[in-house]
């Protein structure tokens, strides 16, 4: 057995209906059916798009746009476990049902020395809230619970360990650590994503000494304090009040309080579109923003008041994205501002009194490792994090270390009728009512 960090090669493709994101390839089933997936640091299992996710009413290129399909009926090793709610992003209004099952997963395309892991939990989905297939890499196990007429039933057989735990158990990797950077198409000659199991790629960040404790809630464990958002070279302050925010690589948006969204609107001249829940921009505004070429500086600490902080610098290019017509309630492919700037990605939203923030993961790496061994090796090395993480350590602008495994996740409820959701779930976002404001990107 190798028992060394594993580096997963990116697919070399850029997918997504809300802006191009670097994907990886997974093969599901026997024989393997290869699809492209986006990484989720919140979800503990992969989700593959079911053939029901592309119907006759969808665009002809639906299969390609969604990264490919997995037909479980064509796999000789599929073991069905039933239908369950996709509950990872319920707080953001994103939902759907998935048919969960056990099957083989191949990590990467043929010819890339890909490892195959058998009897692993995954789900097939059709709901378009999660348009491209998702690779959940959270190390915690998943408990599938079933509801009967009297009570919730649970047995040890309903608990399924994560992919990282399986790799560790097989001595394929030395620890439950992982390192992830989402890449950035606009940088250099297109910087693809980086994913390492059992360690992290030290060439993707600059060391620092900022350490974060994990939050108690295992569904919102990577919580940081956003102390300020400013425009580089100006006196503009875009965040009126510091907030605690959850870092989630599943979605590409930044969710901010309504008053912060209104400051973005004033400074950058962008307008909220209540139909798509995005800041959509026309060509005139887009050209003005390109000429302005503003750079945002997000200052982050362990909480909202600490003086030990680190700053993330986001150029306007990171916001200059295009929402495709497959994005909910977007009729034609158009530019959107979901990260504070209009031709891009500002996804800023307030959910009731609770504030979530999914920082653009183009510059974040998340690694599970122990606080006692948080020194980074030299550039280009793969660091082997210890077995059980206990803290979050922010190495630099490009890395977040998560540590201390959360307790097992109770994965929703059985969703009743085994029907895949083909439509787009309503997000119920309303900036006009003052509930939320999304700056999509």
């Amino acid at each position: 057995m190798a028992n060394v960090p594993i580096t997963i090669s990116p697919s070399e493709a850029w997918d997504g209906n809300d802006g191009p994101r670097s994907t990886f390839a997974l093969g599901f089933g026997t024989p393997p059916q290869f699809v492209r997936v986006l990484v989720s640091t919140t979800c503990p299992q992969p989700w593959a798009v079911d053939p029901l996710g592309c119907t006759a009413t969808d665009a002809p290129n639906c299969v390609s746009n969604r990264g490919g399909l997995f037909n479980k009926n064509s796999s000789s090793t599929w073991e069905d476990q039933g239908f369950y709610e996709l509950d990872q992003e319920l707080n953001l209004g994103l939902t759907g049902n998935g048919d969960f099952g056990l099957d083989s997963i191949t990590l990467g395309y043929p010819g890339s020395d890909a490892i195959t892991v058998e009897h692993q939990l995954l789900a097939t989905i059709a709901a378009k809230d999660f348009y491209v297939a998702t690779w959940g890499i959270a190390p915690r196990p998943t408990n599938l619970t079933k509801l009967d007429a009297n009570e919730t039933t649970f047995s040890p057989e309903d608990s399924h360990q994560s992919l990282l735990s399986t790799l560790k158990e097989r001595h394929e990797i030395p620890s439950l650590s992982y390192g992830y950077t989402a890449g950035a198409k606009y940088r250099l000659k297109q910087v693809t994503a980086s994913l390492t199991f059992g360690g992290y790629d030290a060439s993707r960040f600059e060391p620092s000494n900022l350490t974060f404790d994990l939050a108690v809630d295992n569904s919102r464990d990577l919580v940081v304090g956003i102390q300020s958002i400013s425009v580089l070279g100006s006196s503009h302050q875009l965040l009126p009040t510091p907030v605690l925010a959850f870092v989630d690589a599943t979605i590409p948006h930044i969710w901010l309080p309504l008053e912060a969204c209104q400051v973005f609107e004033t400074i950058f001249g962008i307008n909220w579109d209540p139909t798509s829940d995005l800041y959509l921009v026309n060509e005139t505004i887009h050209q003005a923003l390109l000429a302005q070429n503003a750079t945002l500086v997000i200052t982050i600490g362990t909480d909202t008041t600490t003086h030990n902080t680190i700053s993330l610098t986001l150029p306007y290019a990171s916001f200059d994205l295009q929402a495709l017509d497959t994005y909910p309630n977007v009729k034609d492919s158009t530019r959107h501002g979901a990260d504070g700037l209009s031709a891009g990605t500002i996804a800023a939203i307030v959910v009731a009194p609770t504030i979530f923030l999914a920082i653009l993961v183009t510059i974040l790496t998340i690694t599970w490792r122990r606080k006692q061994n948080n020194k980074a090796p030299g550039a280009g090395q793969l660091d082997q994090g210890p077995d059980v993480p206990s803290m979050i350590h922010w190495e630099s602008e490009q890395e977040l270390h998560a540590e201390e495994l959360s307790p097992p996740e109770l994965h929703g409820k059985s969703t009743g009728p085994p029907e895949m959701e083909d439509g787009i779930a309503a997000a119920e976002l309303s900036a006009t009512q003052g509930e939320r404001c999304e700056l999509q990107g």
Side-chain angles (χ1 to χ4, degrees):
M1 298 293 181
N3 204 33
V4 296
I6 297 173
T7 297
I8 311 297
S9 299
S11 69
E12 304 296 336
W14 298 85
D15 296 286
N17 61 355
D18 47 15
R21 290 192 274 168
S22 182
T23 51
F24 295 87
L26 290 181
F28 294 110
T30 307
Q33 302 169 46
F34 289 92
V35 302
R36 299 186 303 277
V37 296
L38 293 167
V39 168
S40 167
T41 53
T42 302
C43 185
Q45 72 283 131
W47 298 347
V49 179
D50 190 272
L52 292 175
C54 288
T55 66
T57 60
D58 290 304
N61 57 353
C62 175
V63 173
S64 176
N65 284 347
R66 299 198 71 174
L69 306 177
F70 168 54
N71 187 344
K72 56 184 178 292
N73 296 325
S74 298
S75 172
S76 62
T77 48
W78 172 263
E79 300 177 31
D80 198 81
Q81 302 295 306
F83 283 76
Y84 293 85
E85 184 179 29
L86 306 174
D87 57 3
Q88 299 298 327
E89 304 294 345
L90 291 180
N91 287 323
L92 304 183
L94 305 178
T95 186
N97 294 334
D99 186 2
F100 283 72
L102 302 174
D103 212 334
S104 298
I105 302 177
T106 301
L107 312 183
Y109 285 124
S112 61
D113 297 325
I115 294 174
T116 297
V117 182
E118 298 81 14
H119 208 66
Q120 199 67 33
L121 184 68
L122 62 105
T124 64
I125 67 171
K128 293 183 174 65
D129 272 4
F130 306 96
Y131 194 71
V132 180
T134 297
W135 186 359
I137 63 172
R140 63 182 179 274
T142 299
N143 296 332
L144 297 179
T145 60
K146 297 178 175 62
L147 294 181
D148 55 31
N150 300 315
E151 60 182 353
T152 300
T153 60
F154 175 76
S155 66
E157 290 75 22
D158 295 326
S159 181
H160 303 275
Q161 67 182 12
S162 66
L163 176 63
L164 257 67
S165 294
T166 300
L167 292 173
K168 175 67 169 60
E169 186 178 85
R170 289 176 30 165
H171 303 289
E172 298 280 3
I173 56 177
S175 72
L176 295 176
S177 303
Y178 68 83
Y180 171 61
T181 359
K185 191 174 184 180
Y186 65 88
R187 295 194 63 189
L188 304 175
K189 295 181 179 180
Q190 301 185 1
V191 179
T192 56
S194 170
L195 181 61
T196 302
F197 291 148
Y200 63 94
D201 184 352
S203 67
R204 291 293 185 120
F205 67 92
E206 298 175 2
S208 74
N209 295 311
L210 192 55
T211 300
F212 294 76
D213 292 320
L214 283 172
V216 176
D217 184 352
N218 69 358
S219 66
R220 297 184 66 245
D221 47 8
L222 302 177
V223 175
V224 300
I226 309 300
Q227 296 193 5
S228 69
I229 302 178
S230 60
V231 179
L232 186 66
S234 81
S235 60
H236 294 312
Q237 294 296 322
L238 308 180
L239 185 65
T241 304
V243 296
L244 290 175
F246 173 47
V247 181
D248 178 4
T250 313
I251 57 174
H253 311 146
I254 295 178
W255 304 63
L256 296 173
L258 180 59
E259 57 269 24
C261 297
Q262 293 168 339
V263 176
F264 274 94
E265 294 170 3
T266 300
I267 292 178
F268 297 109
I270 54 178
N271 297 304
W272 173 257
D273 177 53
T275 302
S276 62
D277 295 318
L278 300 175
Y279 281 92
L280 302 179
V281 300
N282 57 31
E283 188 59 25
T284 300
I285 298 176
H286 177 227
Q287 291 301 322
L289 290 168
L290 285 174
Q292 187 178 10
N293 196 26
T295 296
L296 295 189
V297 180
I298 302 179
T299 300
I300 296 175
T302 56
D303 54 40
T304 58
T305 59
T306 180
H307 296 295
N308 188 14
T309 61
I310 194 167
S311 294
L312 307 177
T313 301
L314 299 178
Y316 175 69
S318 66
F319 303 110
D320 189 7
L321 305 181
Q322 193 167 36
L324 304 181
D325 54 11
T326 54
Y327 191 91
N329 300 317
V330 173
K331 294 182 180 179
D332 301 303
S333 296
T334 184
R335 296 187 180 276
H336 60 93
D339 278 340
L341 303 180
S342 71
T345 51
I346 287 191
I349 299 181
V350 174
V351 186
T354 306
I355 300 169
F356 298 86
L357 180 144
I359 297 177
L360 281 181
V361 291
T362 51
I363 59 169
L364 293 181
T365 300
I366 299 176
T367 304
W368 290 76
R369 53 197 298 262
R370 203 183 276 277
K371 179 183 178 185
Q372 292 91 319
N373 185 23
N374 57 19
K375 297 224 181 222
Q381 298 178 11
L382 294 179
D383 178 45
Q384 300 181 18
D387 192 9
V388 182
S390 61
M391 302 289 289
I392 305 173
H393 183 76
W394 196 290
E395 290 283 1
S396 75
E397 300 181 355
Q398 297 176 325
E399 178 172 14
L400 181 67
H401 284 266
E403 306 179 354
E404 183 177 21
L405 286 180
S406 304
E409 171 186 79
L410 193 63
H411 190 87
K413 309 171 183 177
S414 178
T415 54
E419 301 170 348
M420 300 293 286
E421 292 190 4
D422 187 30
I424 300 173
E428 298 181 357
L429 307 182
S430 175
T432 56
Q433 297 177 3
E435 291 182 342
R436 9 178 142 178
C437 150
E438 174 176 358
L439 301 141
Q440 154 70 36

